[in-house]
């Protein structure tokens, strides 16, 4: 697995919760074929796609951005003790991996200044809160939690519908709002801008209505943390392939392709939290397809 990367004075490190897990093809890409897998076997890391079953290898990780004394956490994975009966692999997790990974980077929960949410799906907001004396409280007591307001309003309106489907909003988002730690912003929000460094949001809707990417720039270099705009490395070869949970598949494909084109054209690093083994990479373009090459910082 690749490690963290430096961009000028900015440091970006992965914070893993689940390093590797295989999911059935249908969990991500119902239309993926054996021909697709064979066409990408020469460059995908072993374990990303099972050659026979087409099972898909995934990871679940956050990213920590450190710049000018600010500790900024992008997304918070699945979380512990969460009631997810529709997802047995995620239901009532009791893992120390996430907070241990943060501790390995020298930080405790009180050291996080900002939590950035690319979107509000269950596997990206889980550690927003933790269970204390039977109550869901913000995991990071000193942080402001930055969310796209359009994304929040969309999911807020769905709370209480479709059984437990949106329970993650109730246990992992609304308690942050109730605690007064949420900051609802537009999809082009500047998180910080200093001389030489900046961190900001850009719109990438489609996987969810208000999905955003996080950009970190310093001295002409850039990294893009793509949330769920990109799930897996095979999508670089098949950027228009539908992901099962995309809210608007055509819009998601357009956002995905725009990110790939931006990174390929600018040389920006890509940090994609669900791609196993490769925590950061560079994108190259060739015709209608792209390729991702892992980098070490």
């Amino acid at each position: 697995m690749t490690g963290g990367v430096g961009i000028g004075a900015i440091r970006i490190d992965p914070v893993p919760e689940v390093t590797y897990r295989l999911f059935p093809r249908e969990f991500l890409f119902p239309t993926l074929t054996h021909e697709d897998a064979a066409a990408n076997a020469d460059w995908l890391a072993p374990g990303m796609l099972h050659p026979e079953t087409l099972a898909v290898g995934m990871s679940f990780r956050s990213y920590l951005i450190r710049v000018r004394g600010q500790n900024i956490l992008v997304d918070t994975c699945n979380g512990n003790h969460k009631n997810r009966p529709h997802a047995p692999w995620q239901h009532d997790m009791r893992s120390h991996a996430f907070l241990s990974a943060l501790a390995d980077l020298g930080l405790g929960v009180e050291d996080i200044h900002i939590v950035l949410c690319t979107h509000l799906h269950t596997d990206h907001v889980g550690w927003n809160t933790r269970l204390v004396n039977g109550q869901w409280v913000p995991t990071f007591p000193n942080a402001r939690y930055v969310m796209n307001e359009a994304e929040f309003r969309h999911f807020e309106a769905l709370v209480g519908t479709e059984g437990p489907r949106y329970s993650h909003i109730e246990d992992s988002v609304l308690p942050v709002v109730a605690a007064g730690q949420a900051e609802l912003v537009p999809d082009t929000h500047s998180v910080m801008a200093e001389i030489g460094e900046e961190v900001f949001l850009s719109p990438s809707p489609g996987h969810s209505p208000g999905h955003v990417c996080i950009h970190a720039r310093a001295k002409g270099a850039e990294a893009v943390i793509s949330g769920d705009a990109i799930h897996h490395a095979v999508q670089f070869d098949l950027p228009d392939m539908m992901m099962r949970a995309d809210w608007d598949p055509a819009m998601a494909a357009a956002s995905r392709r725009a990110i790939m084109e931006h990174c390929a054209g600018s040389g920006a690093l890509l940090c994609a939290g669900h791609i196993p083994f490769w925590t950061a990479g560079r994108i190259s373009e060739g015709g209608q397809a792209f390729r991702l090459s892992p980098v070490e910082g």
Side-chain angles (χ1 to χ4, degrees):
M1 175 182 287
T2 59
V5 293
I7 300 175
I10 299 176
R11 177 73 186 179
I12 303 175
D13 287 288
V15 185
E17 182 190 46
V18 178
T19 301
Y20 180 77
R21 186 181 177 95
L22 270 176
F23 289 87
R25 177 197 64 166
E26 293 77 15
F27 183 77
L28 258 70
F29 307 123
T31 62
L32 184 70
T33 67
H34 284 90
E35 290 74 18
D36 296 330
N40 289 277
D42 62 329
W43 72 279
L44 291 180
M48 285 190 178
L49 284 178
H50 192 286
E52 296 176 4
T53 66
L54 299 183
V56 181
M58 294 183 69
S59 66
F60 295 81
R61 73 173 78 92
S62 302
Y63 287 92
L64 175 70
I65 302 173
R66 287 182 279 193
V67 54
R68 291 186 177 265
Q70 293 289 295
N71 300 316
I72 304 171
L73 190 63
V74 180
D75 289 341
T76 63
C77 297
N78 298 286
N80 277 358
H81 306 288
K82 301 298 167 79
N83 183 37
R84 308 287 185 254
H86 56 289
W89 61 272
Q90 186 189 46
H91 178 65
D92 195 23
M93 286 181 66
R94 304 292 178 95
S95 171
H96 299 291
F98 186 80
L99 295 184
S100 293
L102 198 60
D104 288 343
L105 293 170
L107 299 178
V109 295
E110 69 282 353
D111 298 316
I112 300 300
H113 301 104
I114 302 171
V115 175
L116 301 180
C117 301
T118 62
H119 64 302
L120 300 181
H121 282 173
T122 177
D123 57 324
H124 289 256
V125 298
W127 277 106
N128 279 5
T129 61
R130 58 180 174 175
L131 195 61
V132 178
N133 297 324
Q135 300 293 319
W136 295 110
V137 302
T139 301
F140 309 100
N142 300 318
R144 55 188 174 101
Y145 289 69
V146 178
M147 312 173 195
N148 178 12
E149 183 170 10
E151 178 86 349
F152 173 75
R153 297 302 179 197
H154 170 83
F155 283 102
E156 181 186 35
L158 294 172
V159 170
T161 67
E162 300 186 46
R165 181 175 178 185
Y166 300 107
S167 62
H168 66 286
I169 303 299
E170 297 181 81
D171 61 40
S172 300
V173 177
L174 294 183
V176 172
V177 177
Q181 290 180 232
E183 182 178 348
L184 303 180
V185 303
D187 59 8
T188 56
H189 180 69
S190 175
V191 179
M192 64 162 291
E194 302 285 347
I195 297 175
E197 296 91 32
E198 59 179 332
V199 178
F200 62 94
L201 279 55
S202 73
S204 50
H207 180 65
S208 67
H211 190 288
V212 297
C213 289
I214 312 302
H215 299 249
R217 286 181 180 164
K219 295 185 176 180
E222 180 182 3
V224 180
I225 301 176
S226 59
D228 272 1
I230 299 168
H231 281 86
H232 193 273
V234 75
Q235 288 177 291
F236 291 96
D237 189 62
L238 302 162
D240 298 324
M241 181 174 60
M242 182 188 72
M243 188 272 174
R244 173 191 57 83
D246 284 342
W247 172 73
D248 184 320
M251 187 181 293
S255 290
R256 185 161 47 249
R257 184 175 286 276
I259 294 164
M260 294 177 185
E261 289 174 349
H262 170 73
C263 290
S266 67
L269 293 173
L270 182 85
C271 300
H274 287 310
I275 296 179
F277 318 125
W278 299 350
T279 60
R282 294 197 185 277
I283 300 175
S284 57
E285 184 175 0
Q288 295 299 307
F290 301 82
R291 291 290 184 267
L292 181 70
S293 301
V295 300
E296 287 275 8

